[in-house]
Amino acid sequence: QQPVQSPQAVILREGEDAVINCSSSKALYSVHWYRQKHGEAPVFLMILLKGGEQKGHEKISASFNEKKQQSSLYLTASQLSYSGTYFCGIFPYGSSNTGKLIFGQGTTLQVKP
Amino acid sequence: DARVTQTPRHKVTEMGQEVTMRCQPILGHNTVFWYRQTMMQGLELLAYFRNRAPLDDSGMPKDRFSAEMPDATLATLKIQPSEPRDSAVYFCATGRTATNYGYTFGSGTRLTVV
């Protein structure tokens, strides 16, 4: 039931772009994205509720393909501050009224100068 | 900004001792989650509550772990007896009902069992 994130780790230079994918074996009601910096708690970035929905947060945006049961996080012109571990959290259909959020294993992003 | 308050921030204890971790949800948040984070397992859901009622604790070792929410301002996670394999960071996260909002994590309790 846990979503699968890919890649597991990414190393970028400042200014480069990255894509992080999150795939589920079950139909999804919604997808959350969080970022966790080293030694800190995860911080909510955005939620996608509808198939085809796209959202942005600074230069970080995400899309949700309901039919493919997946979401992608896009980091554009990456900055040093983007370094951290990115988690997707999913609500499979059937869990929408219970609020049970299941996280992927995380993707570690390192941005170098 | 509103915060989820977790105490203690760090705890070192000997194997076999009881450990109690506390979480104060943000006012108005009626859903409370307990997650455990380790390098190997990532973020594991242990238990969660809505309106103080436990909805699912299937991720929790029942023989030694217990989670309660005695009132709307306090959630607790207890381990008795603690074991070295329980060493991890335990996060509390809170939010509003269901799925339309993101969740706010507390700073976590880093537990070391020696």
Side-chain angles (χ1 to χ4, degrees):
Chain A
Q1 202 173 8
Q2 183 183 32
V4 176
Q5 288 185 232
S6 62
Q8 286 192 325
V10 184
I11 299 176
L12 299 174
R13 293 285 181 189
E14 258 187 306
E16 292 182 339
D17 302 340
V19 179
I20 300 171
N21 298 303
C22 174
S23 297
S24 170
S25 59
K26 292 196 170 190
L28 298 176
Y29 178 80
S30 66
V31 178
H32 288 215
W33 285 98
Y34 292 76
R35 176 172 63 201
Q36 183 179 28
K37 302 205 171 185
H38 184 68
E40 299 180 6
V43 173
F44 173 71
L45 292 177
M46 65 189 80
I47 181 172
L48 298 108
L49 294 171
K50 301 176 184 177
E53 183 174 19
Q54 296 191 21
K55 278 194 175 179
H57 176 79
E58 299 175 342
K59 292 183 180 178
I60 301 174
S61 61
S63 63
F64 178 24
N65 188 324
E66 191 177 14
K67 290 183 179 179
K68 290 187 178 180
Q69 300 172 185
Q70 67 180 36
S71 177
S72 296
L73 188 71
Y74 306 94
L75 298 102
T76 306
S78 58
Q79 306 169 12
L80 295 175
S81 61
Y82 287 1
S83 293
T85 301
Y86 290 79
F87 292 95
C88 69
I90 63 168
F91 281 105
Y93 271 103
S95 68
S96 58
N97 62 342
T98 62
K100 184 174 181 177
L101 183 63
I102 303 168
F103 284 99
Q105 80 278 19
T107 296
T108 301
L109 178 76
Q110 185 180 2
V111 181
K112 294 186 173 183
Chain B
D1 287 343
R3 290 186 181 183
V4 176
T5 303
Q6 277 188 256
T7 56
R9 289 293 307 274
H10 301 274
K11 177 73 175 179
V12 180
T13 191
E14 291 184 349
M15 184 172 62
Q17 296 298 305
E18 177 178 301
V19 175
T20 298
M21 290 169 269
R22 294 176 174 81
C23 169
Q24 181 177 350
I26 291 173
L27 188 65
H29 283 191
N30 65 341
T31 305
V32 176
F33 295 80
W34 283 104
Y35 288 95
R36 176 171 63 184
Q37 187 174 38
T38 60
M39 289 294 292
M40 297 301 294
Q41 298 295 329
L43 279 163
E44 293 178 87
L45 178 62
L46 297 175
Y48 70 109
F49 297 79
R50 179 194 279 181
N51 296 325
R52 296 177 53 202
L55 291 187
D56 189 333
D57 61 1
S58 58
M60 206 163 62
K62 302 290 191 306
D63 56 338
R64 298 184 301 108
F65 284 60
S66 62
E68 295 180 344
M69 202 161 173
D71 62 60
T73 64
L74 178 65
T76 62
L77 181 67
K78 291 186 181 180
I79 309 174
Q80 169 63 21
S82 57
E83 297 180 1
R85 59 179 166 154
D86 300 330
S87 298
V89 180
Y90 292 80
F91 286 107
C92 169
T94 76
R96 299 192 186 107
T97 299
T99 63
N100 294 356
Y101 301 93
Y103 295 120
T104 302
F105 280 75
S107 300
T109 294
R110 182 173 295 276
L111 175 65
T112 303
V113 183
V114 298

